Amino acid sequence: MSQTGIPSVNLADFLSEDPARKQKFVNEIGKAYEEIGFVALKGHFLSDELVNNLYENVREFYALPTETKQNYIVEGIGGQRGYTAFGNEHAKGSTVGDLKEFWHFGQYLNEEDKSKFNYPENINVKEVPDFNVYGEETYKQLEKTGIYVLRALALFLGLDEFYFDDKVENGNSILRAIHYPPITEEPKKAVRAGAHGDINLITLLMGAQGRGLQVQKHDGTWVDAIAEDDELVINVGDMLSRHTNNRLKSTIHQVVNPERELWGTSRFSIPFFMHPVSDMDLSVLENCVTEENPKQFEDITAGEFLTQRLREIGLIK
């Protein structure tokens, strides 16, 4: 267990040549995702140096004047690339905007694939050039980590180990650099991020700088989710939950406002939302349907599901 009651696993077990160690990882992560939907993961591909460099450049970007940051708002793409200003996004079912601003890096395609996938281009911040460099490298290392996690889950579900590979290669994944600014007045109802489930397959969260992330257990109680410095927090998103007929659980989580004495502090957080390609069939897997757990979800593609959810959270009007 990590220090917060979220099970802790080590990717080195899965990558080892020892079949028993590999199976141990598969069993541990599968059980955690059946029970709480979150794990803390050691042994990933991010170096401390890369993490520190990215956070440094993220801070530098958010310190820019508001009008400079607003130059990087891209209209008409539902916030999928570039900058999204404070208060624009809200949790599904809420009308109150979250207390955050954020930046999106998306998939890095070679020239040949650009015509196949109709993704918006990534936006470069000219005032902070290293922001783009470290953003791209982090994106690629988190994507690599996520592929191995999905391979373990494929084995846990009784599928071919590489079942997810071609579904996430060139997928519509997003690296989001979030700034929760200091709170300057009593928030009426808003929290830094309202209670929500993620849309995607899995989310990989770099050790957030500051407390606040909470996970809702199945009995309705909330527990703090704080990773060790060398851990990623990885949770199941709604797409994977749906595909596995809720065998792997997408867990509701939130970012709460800090104690009043910490209102003057910023919080930075960098999640990687791992999405498949838009035409992935999210229909319930046959081997996840049983008499005790009949099929719970209609057939849908990943692209259709994403559009539906972006409307619900206010990013597509």
Side-chain angles (χ1 to χ4, degrees):
M1 284 276 182
S2 72
Q3 58 183 332
T4 62
I6 294 176
S8 188
V9 295
N10 193 327
L11 192 59
D13 290 338
F14 188 72
L15 299 174
S16 81
E17 298 295 307
D18 177 353
R21 270 184 78 188
K22 185 172 178 177
Q23 190 59 48
K24 171 177 174 276
F25 181 87
V26 169
N27 296 344
E28 285 174 350
I29 198 167
K31 181 170 183 280
Y33 283 166
E34 283 186 329
E35 290 176 359
I36 192 169
F38 270 76
V39 295
L41 179 110
K42 293 185 190 297
H44 50 78
F45 298 108
L46 288 185
S47 67
D48 290 348
E49 188 184 10
L50 177 57
V51 171
N52 292 337
N53 285 337
L54 180 61
Y55 270 115
E56 199 176 300
N57 280 273
V58 164
R59 285 195 187 90
E60 213 174 307
F61 170 74
Y62 285 117
L64 293 172
T66 301
E67 52 276 17
T68 306
K69 290 183 288 192
Q70 285 175 337
N71 292 335
Y72 294 104
I73 295 174
V74 186
E75 298 296 343
I77 58 166
Q80 293 299 287
R81 299 290 182 276
Y83 177 67
T84 295
F86 189 74
N88 269 21
E89 188 185 55
H90 56 79
K92 178 181 169 184
S94 169
T95 54
V96 184
D98 289 339
L99 303 178
K100 66 185 180 199
E101 55 183 342
F102 55 87
W103 179 275
H104 276 167
F105 300 96
Q107 186 60 262
Y108 294 88
L109 297 171
N110 61 36
E111 287 309 315
E112 195 184 322
D113 287 327
K114 281 184 180 174
S115 54
K116 265 194 264 176
F117 298 92
N118 192 21
Y119 297 151
E121 289 283 339
N122 276 303
I123 311 296
N124 283 333
V125 177
K126 53 182 186 295
E127 292 83 359
V128 191
D130 282 351
F131 180 63
N132 317 304
V133 175
Y134 294 122
E136 179 173 355
E137 183 57 24
T138 302
Y139 186 103
K140 289 178 173 170
Q141 297 304 330
L142 287 171
E143 184 174 53
K144 182 179 172 185
T145 303
I147 285 168
Y148 282 106
V149 169
L150 288 172
R151 285 178 183 172
L153 294 176
L155 290 171
F156 182 75
L157 294 164
L159 304 168
D160 178 80
E161 179 174 345
F162 307 103
Y163 169 82
F164 288 103
D165 279 34
D166 64 343
K167 297 169 181 64
V168 292
E169 186 187 355
N170 292 329
N172 195 13
S173 298
I174 292 282
L175 179 66
R176 172 183 279 194
I178 308 172
H179 174 220
Y180 301 102
I183 297 168
T184 52
E185 56 187 84
E186 186 78 49
K188 293 187 177 60
K189 275 189 179 169
V191 290
R192 283 180 158 175
H196 65 284
D198 292 338
I199 300 170
N200 38 289
L201 289 169
I202 55 174
T203 301
L204 296 86
L205 177 68
M206 294 167 61
Q209 311 291 294
R211 298 173 75 93
L213 178 65
Q214 294 188 331
V215 178
Q216 190 172 38
K217 293 167 73 176
H218 300 322
D219 63 6
T221 57
W222 292 91
V223 292
D224 288 327
I226 310 155
E228 306 280 349
D229 287 345
D230 62 345
E231 290 177 331
L232 299 174
V233 173
I234 307 183
N235 63 281
V236 175
D238 291 348
M239 286 184 181
L240 186 58
S241 178
R242 191 181 179 110
H243 197 39
T244 63
N245 205 31
N246 215 19
R247 182 176 165 190
L248 303 182
K249 306 262 188 307
S250 174
T251 304
I252 298 294
H253 50 286
Q254 64 185 5
V255 179
V256 293
N257 299 332
E259 299 83 11
R260 188 178 279 268
E261 60 268 24
L262 295 175
W263 278 12
T265 58
S266 281
R267 180 179 188 273
F268 297 92
S269 177
I270 306 179
F272 179 76
F273 300 114
M274 195 156 196
H275 281 264
V277 292
S278 299
D279 60 4
M280 178 184 174
D281 182 3
L282 284 184
S283 302
V284 169
L285 289 161
E286 282 177 22
N287 65 352
C288 292
V289 178
T290 60
E291 272 184 39
E292 303 78 54
N293 187 21
K295 183 179 173 186
Q296 298 182 43
F297 303 102
E298 295 299 306
D299 297 350
I300 197 168
T301 67
E304 289 164 344
F305 184 66
L306 176 61
T307 302
Q308 186 180 307
R309 287 292 299 274
L310 289 176
R311 284 208 176 91
E312 289 170 348
I313 63 172
L315 288 181
I316 295 181
K317 302 299 182 216

